[in-house]
């Protein structure tokens, strides 16, 4: 009888140890996930927080265990920005019963918040936070490429539809020209033909700008390219009260690019920088800093201004075709620049804050 009891007790101890081993294994997995994890029990108290979530909150884990939401919000180490975000997450996921919520933090990173609760959780609430910034960038790039491809198709169709009647008008004016000469109105024919040719040139330029041709690449020095661009923009900068500074490293950096297209991109960004500086009210000394540095097998070209800057909503639409904040703008400049850089197997990004200026970063592969 005693031996049976001992066997049963031994089996129970082994089962407990096995259960604890599995529990510790799963806790270890949760501890080191790249997603932040919070687990609140049915009483609303925090029973588990992993390493990643503690890093995101920038608070020691042990000081949070056992806290409810209100106590967390009163924590002295929690920033005001994070408090606002936690309240918003609570409102969206718990109050409005949304199981998914997306937000952007103070550094511009995208986060996906998922809340799991219900019968399967026995009254507990599991909250996970994952950085989805890379996925958002990929999604935005695909979306941007789709829009630019559509723009190219629309442009080609418009150009074709307008060119056909212009060709017919030009032909009939040339047939009528001898009659206009007899009437002493040859000047009218000349003006009409000149304006038709101008309209054709505008269509051609629009078609080329909306759908850049394949780059005709040559190997050039980054330093000489940037010096030429500064030379072309210095006089306009002086007239608009902008100081253009060029800072180049000692290393020789060479890239294989279509010089005309890359100049178009750089000139467009610098022109936008001048316009942004003009928007600043009061006596404001405009500064545009242009620089380049090596980054592995790539060259990073930066253009920074101290202009008016942009908010996040404006940044999200910056490379959209036909999107412009200028009264006489076409909204094609930056969308075309985006396509040109992508055609060169490079990347273009922008960082800005309202009232604090803007930085464009162009990355191109070395030759």
């Amino acid at each position: 009888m005693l031996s049976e009891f001992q066997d049963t007790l031994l089996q129970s101890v082994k089962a407990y140890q096995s259960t604890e081993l599995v529990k510790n294994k799963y806790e270890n997995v949760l501890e080191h996930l790249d997603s932040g994890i919070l687990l609140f029990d049915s009483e609303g108290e925090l029973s588990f927080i992993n390493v990643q979530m503690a890093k995101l909150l920038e608070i020691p884990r042990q000081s949070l265990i056992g806290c409810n939401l209100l106590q967390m919000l009163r924590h002295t180490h929690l920033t005001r920005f994070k408090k606002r975000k936690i309240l918003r997450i609570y409102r969206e996921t718990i109050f409005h019963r949304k199981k998914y919520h997306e937000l952007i933090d103070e550094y511009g990173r995208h986060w996906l918040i998922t809340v799991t609760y219900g019968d399967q959780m026995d009254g507990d609430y599991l909250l996970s936070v994952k950085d989805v910034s890379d996925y958002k960038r990929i999604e935005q790039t695909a979306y941007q490429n789709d829009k630019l491809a559509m723009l190219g198709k629309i442009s080609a169709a418009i150009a074709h539809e307008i060119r056909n009647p212009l060709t017919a008008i030009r032909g009939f004016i040339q047939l009528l020209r001898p009659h206009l000469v007899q009437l002493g109105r040859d000047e009218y024919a000349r003006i009409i033909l000149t304006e038709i040719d101008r309209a054709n040139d505008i269509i051609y330029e629009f078609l080329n700008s909306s759908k850049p041709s394949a780059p005709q690449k040559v190997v050039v020095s980054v330093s000489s390219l940037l010096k030429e661009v500064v030379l072309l923009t210095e006089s306009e900068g002086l007239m608009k009260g902008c100081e253009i500074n060029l800072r180049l490293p000692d290393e020789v950096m060479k890239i294989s690019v279509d010089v005309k297209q890359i100049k178009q991109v750089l000139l467009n960004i610098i022109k936008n920088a001048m316009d942004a500086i003009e928007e600043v009210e009061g006596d404001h000394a405009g500064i545009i800093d242009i620089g380049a540095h090596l980054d592995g097998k790539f060259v990073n070209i930066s253009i920074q201004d101290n202009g008016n800057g942009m908010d996040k909503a404006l940044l999200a639409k910056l490379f959209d075709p036909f999107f412009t904040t200028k009264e006489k703008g076409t909204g094609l400049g930056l969308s075309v620049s985006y396509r040109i850089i992508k055609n060169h197997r490079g990347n273009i990004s922008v960082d800005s804050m309202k009232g604090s200026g803007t930085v464009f970063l162009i990355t191109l592969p070395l030759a």
Side-chain angles (χ1 to χ4, degrees):
M1 187 75 178
L2 183 60
S3 62
E4 289 180 7
F5 175 74
Q6 287 176 334
D7 289 342
T8 304
L9 183 61
L10 185 62
Q11 288 175 2
S12 298
V13 169
K14 285 182 178 178
Y16 174 77
Q17 287 175 338
S18 178
T19 303
E20 282 296 303
L21 188 64
V22 171
K23 181 184 174 184
N24 290 337
K25 183 179 178 180
Y26 284 127
E27 278 194 4
N28 190 47
V29 170
L30 289 173
E31 286 281 8
H32 298 94
L33 277 177
D34 61 350
S35 300
I37 300 289
L38 284 173
L39 182 65
F40 289 91
D41 62 22
S42 56
E43 300 298 321
E45 292 184 353
L46 184 65
S47 57
F48 177 81
I49 175 172
N50 73 345
V51 174
Q52 180 65 13
M53 182 59 84
K55 285 181 180 177
L56 294 175
L57 294 175
E58 298 177 316
I59 299 174
R61 286 193 296 164
Q62 294 307 315
S63 66
L64 290 172
I65 296 294
C67 292
N68 58 31
L69 183 63
L70 188 60
Q71 290 168 333
M72 279 183 66
L73 291 171
R74 288 175 177 169
H75 201 290
T76 53
H77 292 155
L78 196 65
T79 64
R80 185 179 296 178
F81 180 87
K82 287 187 172 68
K83 287 178 183 178
R84 288 201 304 268
K85 290 297 180 184
I86 289 171
L87 281 171
R88 185 177 175 185
I89 292 167
Y90 173 79
R91 184 172 64 249
E92 295 293 326
T93 58
I94 306 300
F95 190 74
H96 294 300
R97 296 284 177 177
K98 293 179 181 177
K99 291 197 173 184
Y100 302 98
H101 178 65
E102 288 188 19
L103 62 83
I104 302 174
D105 67 12
E106 64 267 45
Y107 307 109
R109 294 175 299 186
H110 291 258
W111 298 91
L112 175 65
I113 292 90
T114 307
V115 177
T116 308
Y117 54 85
D119 295 337
Q120 73 269 30
M121 293 297 296
D122 295 326
D124 292 351
Y125 285 80
L126 176 67
L127 185 142
S128 68
V129 180
K130 185 172 181 62
D131 185 352
V132 292
S133 301
D134 290 339
Y135 302 107
K136 283 290 178 184
R137 277 193 287 271
I138 294 168
E139 181 185 347
Q140 183 64 29
T141 300
Y143 180 57
Q144 188 72 27
N145 288 338
D146 286 344
K147 285 190 291 187
L148 288 170
M150 182 59 70
L151 172 63
K153 291 177 182 178
I154 293 170
S155 302
I158 291 172
H160 179 73
E161 291 301 322
I162 295 176
R163 273 176 170 172
N164 282 346
L166 284 176
T167 302
I169 293 167
R170 198 180 201 288
F172 281 111
I173 289 296
Q174 285 176 323
L175 288 173
L176 289 170
R177 192 166 191 174
H179 302 286
L180 292 171
V181 171
Q182 288 178 3
L183 295 170
R185 295 290 183 266
D186 184 47
E187 185 66 13
Y188 291 174
R190 191 189 64 77
I191 291 170
I192 293 169
L193 290 171
T194 302
E195 290 304 302
I196 288 171
D197 290 340
R198 192 165 74 89
N200 269 319
D201 289 341
I202 291 169
I203 292 166
Y204 178 78
E205 287 298 322
F206 175 76
L207 190 58
N208 275 355
S209 66
S210 60
K211 190 179 180 181
S213 57
Q216 304 298 311
K217 295 182 179 179
V218 294
V219 176
V220 294
S221 161
V222 174
S223 298
S224 61
L225 179 64
L226 292 179
K227 284 175 183 176
E228 280 185 48
V229 169
V230 170
L231 197 63
L232 289 169
T233 54
E234 257 181 340
S235 58
E236 187 179 353
L238 286 171
M239 287 190 290
K240 293 186 174 182
C242 299
E243 180 186 341
I244 300 176
N245 300 318
L246 178 61
R247 295 184 177 87
L248 296 170
D250 295 330
E251 301 101 323
V252 176
M253 299 174 290
K254 292 196 174 183
I255 51 177
S256 178
V257 295
D258 185 314
V259 176
K260 185 180 177 182
Q261 289 187 2
I262 297 300
K263 274 185 182 179
Q264 179 185 339
V265 172
L266 296 171
L267 290 170
N268 184 53
I269 293 172
I270 295 169
K271 177 70 168 61
N272 286 346
M274 291 179 186
D275 292 342
I277 289 168
E278 277 192 312
E279 291 174 6
V280 180
E281 296 178 357
D283 188 16
H284 180 69
I287 298 173
I288 299 172
D289 289 322
I290 302 170
H293 67 271
L294 284 172
D295 184 11
K297 295 182 179 180
F298 295 87
V299 174
N300 289 333
I301 299 171
S302 62
I303 301 171
Q304 180 174 359
D305 67 68
N306 63 344
N308 212 25
M310 295 171 279
D311 56 28
K312 296 293 181 185
L314 192 60
L315 276 175
K317 300 178 181 178
L318 199 61
F319 295 107
D320 288 2
F322 303 114
F323 175 77
T324 181
T325 57
K326 301 174 186 177
E327 189 177 339
K328 295 182 180 179
T330 62
L332 284 171
L334 286 176
S335 66
V336 172
S337 297
Y338 180 91
R339 173 68 71 88
I340 288 171
I341 297 301
K342 287 296 178 182
N343 284 350
H344 282 78
R345 301 185 182 278
N347 187 53
I348 179 169
S349 61
V350 57
D351 186 28
S352 185
M353 189 176 290
K354 192 68 177 174
S356 301
T358 302
V359 183
F360 276 88
L361 186 67
I362 297 168
T363 304
L364 292 167
L366 286 167

